[in-house]
Amino acid sequence: MSKKGLTTSEINQRIQENKVNGESKKLSKSTINIIKENIFTYFNFLNIVLFVFVFTTGKYQNAMFMGAVITNALIGIIQEMRAKKLLDQIRILTTTKVNACRDDAWIEISVDEIVQDDLLSLQAGIQIPIDGIVVEGSLEVNESLLTGESEPVYKKVGDIVYSGTIVLSGDAEVSVTKVGHDRQSEKIMEGAKISGFQKSALQKDLQKLIKIVSILIIPVALILVGMQMGVKELGYSDIVLNTSAAIIGMIPEGLVVLTSVALAVSTMRLLKLKALVQELYSIEGLARVDVVCLDKTGTLTQGDMQVDHVEIVSDISEMNLRAYMQAYLEMEKHPNPTAKALLEYFTSDTKIQVDSFQPFASERKYTSAYLHDIGTLYVGAFEFIFNKEDAVYQTYHDTFSQGELRTIAIALAREDDDKELLGLVYIRDVMRPNVNETLTYLSKQGVTIKVISGDYPKTVSSIARKAGVPNADKYIDLSVGEIDYDQVVEEYTVFGRVLPKQKKELLKALQRKHVVAMVGDGVNDIPALRQADVSIAMLAGSSAAKDISDIVLLENDFNVVPSIVCEGRRVINNISRASSMYLVKTLFSFFLTIYVALFQTVYPFVPVHLTMISAICVGIPTVFLQLEPSYEKLKGRFLLDAFLRALPSAITVVLAAIFTKVYRTSTGLPLESANAILVFVTGVIYLYTLYRIYQPTTKYRLTIVLIMSFLFVIVYYFTQSILGISFGLELLPVTLLTSVIGVVLVTLLGFSLTTRSK
C-alpha cells in the first residue's frame, strides 16, 4: 500500500516554512488590541493635553476629569477582557474541523492547522478553507462568493476548488495547493456575509459623531482662546480652565466606552443563554428585528426523523424495494437525518451493484443511483422527480400529503427513461418542546414568523399550525409558476418546495419593509443566511452555515431565540438612552462656546463643575440602568433620536447659563455665588433629564434617580470649596425658581420636538 498523506516530519517542515492555513476567523480581539483601543484614542490624547495645561494653573481640583478618563479606560479593558476570555473558551466548539490524512491515517483537525500538500476529505455542508485540487471523488460546489453565479459547479478529479466556496453535495479527497495568504480567494471568507448590519447604524452613527467632534474641536478651541484673550479680567489660569471645560464638555468619551462595554457585556449575557455572537454589531440588528424566518426541520422540530410507514403503489415486492433502497443508501457516506431514518428502516440481505450515484442537492431535491441491470432509482421530492405532464403526477400530487408526515417518493427509470412510482415513504419528525410558547412570545413582541422549507407545503403548514405559528394555514408552493416575491411575502406565512436561491429572494423581498433574522442550519440555508440582517445558525448545522452566521446557538435550541431578540433590544435601547445623557454635555458645550465667541464673554463652567455633574448625573446612573429590561422594538436612527432627546436639556442649560450671567451683572452677585446657582440648576436639569429619558418609570429607575439626586445634593453642599462655589440661604429662592423653570422648559421643548419628529 502506497503512502497516503503527509508524515509528521513533513508537516513540521511546512510549519517552519510558514505554509500553514492560520486562523480563519477571530471571534475576539487580541489582548494588545483591546488595550490599544481603550488607551490610545484621539479623545484620550486631547484629555492628556488638557490635563497638562490645567496642571500648570495650580488649581489641581480641575484636573479630576482625568480620573474619569482613566476609569473609563479601565472599565473598557476589564469588560472586554472578560468577554474575550469567555469567547476564547467557547471558540473550540465552533471551530470548523476537517478530516486530513496524516501518517497513513485519517484524523480530524481544525482549519487553521491545515498545511500545504495536506490531503483533505471534503463533504456537503463545508465552506472550503483552502485552494486545492480534487484527486479522488467529485463535488458540487457553489462558487457564488467567487464568481457571483449561483448555479452549482461540478468538480471532478483534476479540477481546482477555491477557499470560500461551499460544497453542496458529493464527497472528494482534495490535495491542498494554497493556504493562508497565498489563497487566491482569501478575502472571500471575510466577505461571505452580506448582512445589512455588518456595519450597523449604531456603528456608523458613532463614527460619524466622533468624526464631527474631532474636526470641530480644535478650531473651536482656538477661536475660544482667542476671544477670551480679549476679555480684560481673564488671566492665563482663567483662559486655560474655561477653554478646558468647553473642550471636555464637547468630548463624548463616556459614550464610546459605554457602547463598547455594553456590547461586550451583552455578548457575555448571550453566552449564558448558549448563544455565541460572532459579529458584535449584529446585536443592534436583533434590536430591530421584526420578522424571523426559519426552516421547519431543526427549529420547529427536533430533526430526529423516523419512518412512520411506507406505501407501495406499484407491483414491486417489499423485499425488492428494500434491496433497491439499501443499495442506494450504502452510497451515502455522510447521511443527513432523512437518509439516516431511511437507513434504519430499509434493511436487506440482497446485494445490488451501484454503477453510478448522484448525491442529494437542495437545488434538485432528489438523489439518484444507477442500479446495475435494473435502472436508475430516484429518491426525493415527488414534484421534482416527475413532470407536471406525467400521468402519475396528476394522480398522486394532491393525494399523498398525510398531515404532519413528510413524504418522500421512490421512483425507478428503466431503459426507456420512463419513471415509475414505486412507493411513498412517510417520515415523522418530533416537535420541539415548548415551541408553542416560544412562537407566542415572539408574536407578542411584534415579531412575525415566516416558515421557509423545501418540504411539501401542506405538510409544512400542518407542522407550523401544530407549533402555533400564526396564520400557518396561509401557505404557497414555490415550485409552481412565476413568483411575485413582494406579493407572496405579504400574503403568505408558510413557503414550501423552496429552492436555496428562492429563500434568498424571499428575504430580499421582506427586507424592503422589515428587518429580518434567519434561523438555519443546512447548506441550503446559506444564501438566505448571507442575505439576512441577522443570521442565526445551529451548532449542529453545517460548518459553512456556522462560519457565515452572526450568532451560533450552542445547544441547537430554537427556544432561546426570543431571549436573544430581547437581549438585543435591551442593550441597544439602553445605549440609546444613555447616549442622550452624554450628548447633553456635548451639545450645550458647543452652544455655549458659540455664545462665548460671539459675545466675547467668559465661559461659565470650569472642568471640576462638569466632572462632578457628569459623574453623578450621567456616568454612575447609566451604568446601573444599562442592565434594566427594555424590550420595545427599536425604531428610527440612533444618533438622530439621541440628539433630539438631548437637545431640550442642552438648550435649557445654555439659557440657565445666560440667565445666571445676566442676574449676576444686574445684582452684583459674586462669581462663586453665580457659579453655585448655575451648577445646581444644571444638576437639576440633568437629573430631570435622567428621569424623563428612562421611561416608563419603574421602582428601580425611580430609586436610581432619587439616590443620584441625594448624592448630588450631598456632594454639592460639602465640596463647595473644591467646586469653587459659595451657596448661601439667600440664594435658595432664585436657585429653586430657576430650577423649576428649567424643568418646565425641558418638558415643553421635549414635547415640541417629539411632536415635530412624529
Side-chain angles (χ1 to χ4, degrees):
M1 179 179 174
S2 60
K3 184 185 72 169
K4 205 173 185 183
L6 297 176
T7 64
T8 301
S9 61
E10 289 172 332
I11 294 166
N12 291 334
Q13 181 182 346
R14 282 158 178 76
I15 292 173
Q16 290 175 358
E17 294 171 354
N18 201 29
K19 294 179 179 179
V20 186
N21 204 39
E23 195 167 338
S24 60
K25 177 185 282 190
K26 292 184 178 180
L27 296 183
S28 63
K29 303 173 188 175
S30 67
T31 302
I32 295 297
N33 282 339
I34 290 174
I35 294 172
K36 282 182 178 178
E37 290 178 10
N38 281 279
I39 294 179
F40 300 107
T41 68
Y42 175 67
F43 289 147
N44 281 352
F45 171 75
L46 285 179
N47 278 312
I48 291 170
V49 172
L50 293 175
F51 173 78
V52 172
F53 276 104
V54 169
F55 208 76
T56 62
T57 66
K59 298 182 178 180
Y60 306 124
Q61 69 271 26
N62 284 288
M64 290 170 62
F65 67 89
M66 273 305 293
V69 174
I70 293 170
T71 301
N72 282 337
L74 287 175
I75 291 173
I77 291 171
I78 291 169
Q79 291 290 11
E80 289 195 49
M81 288 295 291
R82 287 179 63 199
K84 171 184 168 54
K85 184 178 179 181
L86 282 173
L87 287 170
D88 290 346
Q89 288 173 348
I90 212 74
R91 178 181 176 274
I92 191 170
L93 294 177
T94 58
T95 299
T96 301
K97 302 291 182 67
V98 293
N99 289 319
C101 186
R102 293 180 171 182
D103 292 319
D104 290 329
W106 287 98
I107 61 171
E108 191 176 63
I109 63 173
S110 64
V111 294
D112 52 328
E113 296 176 308
I114 299 171
V115 299
Q116 189 171 310
D117 301 319
D118 252 330
L119 184 65
L120 307 180
S121 175
L122 302 181
Q123 316 71 48
I126 192 170
Q127 187 170 31
I128 300 175
I130 45 81
D131 291 353
I133 297 176
V134 178
V135 295
E136 186 177 317
S138 62
L139 300 169
E140 271 190 306
V141 178
N142 183 322
E143 293 188 339
S144 61
L145 299 179
L146 181 64
T147 65
E149 299 293 331
S150 60
E151 291 301 315
V153 179
Y154 184 72
K155 299 286 185 177
K156 60 184 184 303
V157 173
D159 289 342
I160 299 174
V161 294
Y162 297 100
S163 67
T165 59
I166 297 166
V167 180
L168 299 175
S169 66
D171 195 302
E173 293 179 12
V174 173
S175 177
V176 178
T177 57
K178 293 181 181 179
V179 293
H181 295 294
D182 293 332
R183 293 174 296 177
Q184 180 179 341
S185 52
E186 182 195 13
K187 293 184 179 179
I188 292 175
M189 293 285 279
E190 298 171 7
K193 183 78 176 74
I194 324 173
S195 167
F197 284 92
Q198 190 174 26
K199 190 167 185 180
S200 68
L202 172 62
Q203 191 178 17
K204 288 177 182 176
D205 285 349
L206 282 174
Q207 290 176 349
K208 187 186 298 182
L209 175 63
I210 291 169
K211 186 176 181 180
I212 292 170
V213 173
S214 300
I215 292 172
L216 291 178
I217 206 163
I218 299 299
V220 166
L222 293 175
I223 292 170
L224 186 60
V225 170
M227 292 300 180
Q228 291 198 123
M229 288 177 69
V231 181
K232 293 182 180 180
E233 64 266 25
L234 292 182
Y236 169 78
S237 294
D238 296 321
I239 292 173
V240 168
L241 294 178
N242 293 342
T243 304
S244 298
I247 296 174
I248 291 167
M250 281 186 275
I251 296 175
E253 78 282 350
L255 172 58
V256 179
V257 173
L258 174 81
T259 303
S260 298
V261 169
L263 292 175
V265 170
S266 183
T267 299
M268 291 188 285
R269 286 169 66 101
L270 286 170
L271 273 176
K272 291 179 180 178
L273 295 172
K274 303 304 179 183
L276 175 64
V277 178
Q278 300 193 122
E279 171 56 52
L280 191 62
Y281 280 90
S282 66
I283 293 173
E284 183 194 354
L286 287 173
R288 297 180 184 273
V289 163
D290 59 352
V291 174
V292 172
C293 296
L294 45 91
D295 198 349
K296 167 183 65 65
T297 306
T299 49
L300 299 181
T301 63
Q302 295 182 3
D304 183 17
M305 298 183 186
Q306 294 177 338
V307 174
D308 187 84
H309 67 281
V310 177
E311 180 184 352
I312 298 176
V313 299
S314 69
D315 57 2
I316 190 174
S317 67
E318 182 179 349
M319 183 178 68
N320 282 344
L321 183 62
R322 285 181 176 273
Y324 292 177
M325 287 295 290
Q326 180 174 289
Y328 134 65
L329 289 164
E330 285 179 347
M331 301 300 295
E332 292 277 11
K333 293 184 180 179
H334 303 279
N336 60 25
T338 303
K340 288 177 181 177
L342 295 174
L343 271 167
E344 188 176 335
Y345 184 86
F346 289 102
T347 58
S348 173
D349 294 328
T350 305
K351 298 298 179 184
I352 298 176
Q353 179 181 327
V354 177
D355 294 338
S356 64
F357 173 69
Q358 185 181 44
F360 179 85
S362 298
E363 286 77 8
R364 283 190 302 272
K365 296 202 180 296
Y366 65 80
T367 182
S368 63
Y370 185 76
L371 309 182
H372 187 70
D373 288 339
I374 297 175
T376 303
L377 187 74
Y378 293 88
V379 180
F382 178 88
E383 301 94 321
F384 285 77
I385 294 175
F386 293 98
N387 295 321
K388 296 180 180 64
E389 296 77 19
D390 295 342
V392 69
Y393 186 95
Q394 305 297 329
T395 303
Y396 286 97
H397 180 256
D398 292 323
T399 63
F400 65 65
S401 176
Q402 295 192 11
E404 300 159 19
L405 298 181
R406 182 182 178 193
T407 310
I408 293 175
I410 306 172
L412 182 67
R414 303 186 190 277
E415 291 182 2
D416 57 3
D417 203 35
D418 242 358
K419 297 189 188 78
E420 176 191 4
L421 182 64
L422 302 182
L424 299 172
V425 182
Y426 294 95
I427 293 181
R428 182 180 301 279
D429 198 355
V430 181
M431 194 72 68
R432 278 194 177 276
N434 305 319
V435 71
N436 297 70
E437 292 87 342
T438 298
L439 295 174
T440 300
Y441 183 82
L442 284 172
S443 297
K444 288 181 179 179
Q445 292 297 319
V447 178
T448 301
I449 306 297
K450 301 286 185 181
V451 183
I452 305 174
S453 175
D455 286 343
Y456 189 60
K458 287 184 180 179
T459 303
V460 181
S461 174
S462 297
I463 292 175
R465 187 164 51 249
K466 183 178 180 181
V469 176
N471 302 312
D473 56 328
K474 295 181 178 179
Y475 62 86
I476 183 173
D477 187 338
L478 291 195
S479 67
V480 180
E482 292 293 322
I483 305 298
D484 182 343
Y485 290 99
D486 290 320
Q487 180 180 348
V488 298
V489 296
E490 297 298 327
E491 292 184 8
Y492 298 98
T493 299
V494 174
F495 305 86
R497 292 300 186 218
V498 185
L499 298 174
K501 60 184 178 182
Q502 290 179 313
K503 286 189 179 185
K504 179 180 177 180
E505 292 302 320
L506 287 171
L507 262 73
K508 286 171 71 175
L510 283 166
Q511 285 173 314
R512 287 189 251 282
K513 293 182 180 180
H514 306 278
V515 177
V516 183
M518 175 69 193
V519 184
D521 58 0
V523 67
N524 60 320
D525 296 319
I526 288 171
L529 288 169
R530 288 206 312 268
Q531 182 63 40
D533 296 308
V534 181
S535 51
I536 304 172
M538 304 289 182
L539 182 64
S542 69
S543 63
K546 290 183 291 185
D547 284 344
I548 66 168
S549 292
D550 297 315
I551 296 169
V552 177
L553 303 184
L554 300 176
E555 292 188 345
N556 308 301
D557 186 3
F558 171 71
N559 292 330
V560 304
V561 170
S563 299
I564 293 172
V565 172
C566 287
E567 173 61 19
R569 291 183 177 184
R570 184 198 65 77
V571 68
I572 300 300
N573 280 327
N574 286 333
I575 286 176
S576 182
R577 289 189 176 98
S579 299
S580 299
M581 296 301 300
Y582 281 99
L583 288 175
V584 170
K585 181 164 65 78
T586 299
L587 287 173
F588 82 65
S589 297
F590 182 71
F591 294 151
L592 281 176
T593 300
I594 295 174
Y595 166 74
V596 168
L598 289 175
F599 294 95
Q600 289 194 320
T601 185
V602 179
Y603 194 84
F605 292 103
V606 292
V608 70
H609 297 160
L610 299 181
T611 300
M612 189 271 284
I613 293 171
S614 295
I616 296 175
C617 302
V618 182
I620 296 173
T622 53
V623 168
F624 286 101
L625 290 170
Q626 191 61 34
L627 301 176
E628 263 281 274
S630 181
Y631 300 144
E632 62 271 18
K633 188 176 75 174
L634 192 64
K635 297 178 181 179
R637 285 302 297 264
F638 166 78
L639 187 59
L640 179 61
D641 291 346
F643 264 117
L644 289 176
R645 285 195 295 263
L647 193 57
S649 301
I651 292 173
T652 305
V653 171
V654 173
L655 293 176
I658 295 172
F659 166 76
T660 305
K661 177 176 174 54
V662 172
Y663 184 75
R664 178 195 170 202
T665 303
S666 61
T667 61
L669 198 68
L671 178 61
E672 290 79 7
S673 298
N675 284 344
I677 296 173
L678 179 58
V679 170
F680 188 87
V681 172
T682 302
V684 170
I685 291 170
Y686 257 101
L687 290 166
Y688 176 66
T689 304
L690 186 69
Y691 169 79
R692 186 174 66 89
I693 286 176
Y694 282 89
Q695 292 293 322
T697 303
T698 63
K699 287 183 179 180
Y700 180 77
R701 289 173 177 173
L702 185 60
T703 300
I704 294 293
V705 173
L706 291 175
I707 290 173
M708 291 301 109
S709 301
F710 177 75
L711 182 61
F712 174 77
V713 171
I714 295 299
V715 173
Y716 174 86
Y717 185 79
F718 288 103
T719 62
Q720 293 186 49
S721 59
I722 296 174
L723 294 172
I725 62 175
S726 176
F727 185 83
L729 288 177
E730 70 279 1
L731 299 176
L732 190 59
V734 67
T735 303
L736 292 178
L737 180 61
T738 307
S739 299
V740 171
I741 293 173
V743 167
V744 172
L745 192 58
V746 169
T747 305
L748 293 175
L749 286 171
F751 178 77
S752 176
L753 285 173
T754 302
T755 304
R756 286 173 183 248
S757 65
K758 290 181 180 179

